[in-house]
Amino acid sequence: MKPYKILKHQNPKPFILIPHQRSLFSALSSSTSDRSQSPSCEISPDVLVESARSSQWHFIKHLSPNLDSSLISTVLFNLHKTPELALQFTSHVEFHRLDIKTRCLAIAVASRLPSPKPTLNLLKRTVSSDIAGVAVVFDELALARERLGISTTILFDLLIKACCEMKRVDEGLECFYMMKDKGFIPKIETCNALLSTFLKLNRTESAWVLYAEMFKMRIKSSVYTFNIMINVLCKEGKLKKAKDFIGFMENLRVNPNVVTYNTIIHAYCSRGRVEGARFILNAMRSKGIQPDSYSYSSLISGMCKDKRLEEASEMFEKMKEMGLVPSAVTYNILIDGYCNEGDLGKAFRYRDEMVEQGISPTVSTYNMLVHALFMECKMDEADDLVKEMEEKGLAPDQITYSILINGYSRCGNVKKAFSFHDEMLTKGIQPTRITYTSLIYALSKRNRMTEADNLFEKIMKKGVAVDVIMFNALIDGHCANGNMERAFSLLKEMDKLNVPPDDVTYNTLMQGHCREGRVEEARELLDEMKRRGIKPDHVSYNTLISGYSRRGDMKDALRVRDEMLSTGFNPTLLTYNALIQGFCHNQEGDIAEELLKEMISKGITPDDSTYLSLIDGMGNIDQSVESCNSC
């Protein structure tokens, strides 16, 4: 036998060319010299197999465009006992060019590997390519499985899992039923993947249908299965049934774990039922299952949402006493709670404590604190915090920029707001709808309506889905600036874009009309609201009462007040102030005094506006008396 011939190459690592009846080198030469002939007809599978075994991938890759599926299929079959080698071969012959049969054979060979990841990757590439429907893929995998003598159902289980990971759960379910038709029982892990995907997609009804099918097929549920179904019940708001499901588990001799109880605790806390969550926590302990950090974090979160911050802090201390280490998430819950209550001192103390404990504040931590500082108009401190965040290597995210833009917009610093908008674009961070709404609001408050309209047009061209809040900000700006024509054109545009107006939209338009003394038109808008199925609120009625009162039409103002009462809305301070001002302006001080007594009896405290109206009314009465005496 001739010795192996070692060829030198630019790459310092040598490659070995194995001699054969027809070497790959000669095949390559013929293929490059005469493209009219098909090299795949001249290259035998054995040549390719030997080349793969000697790792001569550069030759295989060079020839791959000229290798037909039949030849590749034969090579894959010959390499099936060395699946690692077969997978490498697959990666060098342009998998995307293979027909469905060859792809499925490659997938079947890869399924022999210890790790399922390569098989899942090939399956996802095949399904996403839409080369064939999932039913065809299933059938071809079945044929490849028989050809290779694979006895397990791993191929079908992995196909279902691939569909789930791609959120193509209906195709995964189709494969589930195809397995059932062939008499194959899917693994419980496969069923869990389907159930979990239905849960993530909020398709709880589909999850129950599948669960019932599993029960019929006598597929034994694991604790993970039960945890998913308890989560489904919680998502449906059926908390009692979720709690009772634990007993069902135990009857089937499946012991609940900490995740089981945490799922229910979290659901109770999310719905503000903290005491119910405490009951579950105690039941959990009685079963010998110790609560973990997640259990306590859920309770702390529930208490913070319920504004029970002292209890939340006590629970936090108890958690630490038990040796449980709080996470950044737990600290963020408390920081958010105290920020929402305006107690920035306590919020920053928790931030400092987490740093002392060696827990790095997250972008969310800084976002909450920056937002709280803006709410108190502490812009300089907010800027310093953003700088600190960046110094610590944390990059501001979409939420950070939205907070900064919104904060400066509310404070009237349009220039700073737009500078942050430009900065986020430079960094490749796309503004959100909320970001754009803040900018429109800022421009509107500065009477820069042309710029606000231009920005709105740019937003529309970018394909951003505009909502009622953005429209309301723009309508409010035009109404405040007296451009009612443009405000109503925006209302028509809302209808064209199928963005339903709300009570704020109509209240804003009504206020615009009333500012111009066109109260009848405002009244017509109230009726239009009702026709659209939008329920007027106390702002709607107060707007009309104020409009009629300013014009001195007190009978109409009282008529609206009575209508307001009949719909279940009690008069507010604004209602009484508008009426008192109107009667005082009409020199009917006695009625104004009666209204003052009425509002006090209802527990409404008069403000400066109330008394100024009364004083002004008294002055008008004195002037009238003096005029009459002089006559």
Side-chain angles (χ1 to χ4, degrees), residues 370-418:
V370 170
H371 180 256
L373 288 168
F374 270 116
M375 292 300 287
E376 296 199 0
C377 292
K378 296 180 177 179
M379 283 87 79
D380 291 339
E381 290 177 54
D383 278 342
D384 290 341
L385 204 58
V386 173
K387 287 174 188 172
E388 179 190 310
M389 173 185 174
E390 291 176 321
E391 284 166 7
K392 290 185 180 293
L394 293 173
D397 63 5
Q398 200 177 51
I399 296 169
T400 316
Y401 280 108
S402 291
I403 291 166
L404 291 168
I405 290 166
N406 185 56
Y408 279 107
S409 296
R410 299 283 165 185
C411 296
N413 193 336
V414 182
K415 187 177 179 181
K416 196 79 179 272
F418 270 94

Side-chain angles (χ1 to χ4, degrees), residues 570-586:
N570 290 320
T572 65
L573 175 64
L574 289 172
T575 316
Y576 282 107
N577 279 352
L579 291 169
I580 288 169
Q581 186 181 32
F583 280 113
C584 285
H585 184 72
N586 280 4

Side-chain angles (χ1 to χ4, degrees), residues 484-598:
M484 295 303 294
E485 186 179 345
R486 172 62 178 151
F488 277 97
S489 74
L490 286 165
L491 181 65
K492 289 178 182 176
E493 196 165 343
M494 289 176 79
D495 288 332
K496 284 180 188 174
L497 294 172
N498 292 318
V499 178
D502 60 8
D503 54 336
V504 176
T505 317
Y506 276 96
N507 289 344
T508 305
L509 291 166
M510 286 169 67
Q511 286 163 359
H513 272 322
C514 287
R515 276 194 206 98
E516 297 181 351
R518 297 162 68 182
V519 190
E520 284 76 15
E521 286 90 337
R523 173 75 226 197
E524 287 171 12
L525 284 173
L526 186 80
D527 295 333
E528 186 180 314
M529 277 178 82
K530 293 176 182 177
R531 286 196 298 273
R532 279 185 180 247
I534 302 167
K535 189 178 178 182
D537 60 7
H538 65 276
V539 176
S540 318
Y541 292 111
N542 283 342
T543 299
L544 281 178
I545 290 167
S546 181
Y548 281 122
S549 295
R550 276 201 300 269
R551 211 168 65 175
D553 294 339
M554 299 315 297
K555 284 185 180 179
D556 286 326
L558 288 173
R559 195 175 294 118
V560 175
R561 191 273 311 264
D562 294 340
E563 185 181 335
M564 179 181 182
L565 286 166
S566 69
T567 54
F569 289 106
N570 290 320
T572 65
L573 175 64
L574 289 172
T575 316
Y576 282 107
N577 279 352
L579 291 169
I580 288 169
Q581 186 181 32
F583 280 113
C584 285
H585 184 72
N586 280 4
Q587 299 175 16
E588 296 178 89
D590 52 340
I591 301 175
E593 284 184 32
E594 287 300 318
L595 284 168
L596 178 66
K597 290 175 186 176
E598 183 184 309

Side-chain angles (χ1 to χ4, degrees), residues 352-370:
D352 295 340
E353 183 184 314
M354 71 189 288
V355 172
E356 288 167 13
Q357 295 297 318
I359 301 167
S360 298
T362 63
V363 174
S364 295
T365 315
Y366 282 102
N367 285 347
M368 288 183 283
L369 292 167
V370 170

